[in-house]
Amino acid sequence: MADAIDTLKNILGDDAEDKIKNVMSSLSSSQTSLPTEMNNDGLEQIMQVKNIFDSISQNRNDPRTNLLLSLKPYMRGGRQKSIDSAVKLLGLTNITKLLRK
């Protein structure tokens, strides 16, 4: 999950932490309406973040990822690290597919 947050920070740019905090605070507030200062760009960014998190969770259902993770216990340490890297790369490919849309 920490890698996903780092990837998200890279996608959002320089003030990524502030953007994430603003989105999280607006989502966690008890108000049913969005703040008036939030424009269409802000809503689009929120939807992109949501899609990214959805794609990360879908990565767990990916048969390629499941195969690699099932083989991992039978590999030596160096190969286990390579499998971890491959699983992360598969997650990043899902994110890049979303960014193309």
Side-chain angles (χ1 to χ4, degrees):
M1 188 68 175
D3 294 326
I5 293 173
D6 291 337
T7 304
L8 183 60
K9 286 179 183 177
N10 290 336
I11 291 170
L12 291 176
D14 296 334
D15 57 345
E17 289 184 26
D18 294 332
K19 290 178 183 177
I20 293 171
K21 287 178 185 177
N22 289 338
V23 169
M24 295 304 288
S25 65
S26 68
L27 292 176
S28 65
S29 68
S30 61
Q31 299 175 353
T32 56
S33 63
L34 292 173
T36 55
E37 67 270 1
M38 185 169 286
N39 55 17
N40 288 337
D41 292 335
L43 292 175
E44 289 176 20
Q45 287 180 348
I46 291 171
M47 291 306 295
Q48 283 182 339
V49 170
K50 180 191 173 298
N51 290 337
I52 289 170
F53 280 118
D54 288 344
S55 73
I56 291 168
S57 66
Q58 288 174 357
N59 190 32
R60 294 182 188 134
N61 297 327
D62 184 10
R64 300 170 298 175
T65 302
N66 291 338
L67 175 64
L68 288 172
L69 292 176
S70 65
L71 292 173
K72 184 178 171 182
Y74 302 105
M75 300 293 169
R76 64 177 189 252
R79 297 251 171 134
Q80 286 181 356
K81 290 179 184 177
S82 297
I83 288 175
D84 289 335
S85 298
V87 168
K88 289 177 187 176
L89 284 173
L90 285 172
L92 288 175
T93 58
N94 289 338
I95 292 172
T96 57
K97 288 177 188 176
L98 283 175
L99 294 176
R100 288 184 195 162
K101 292 181 180 180

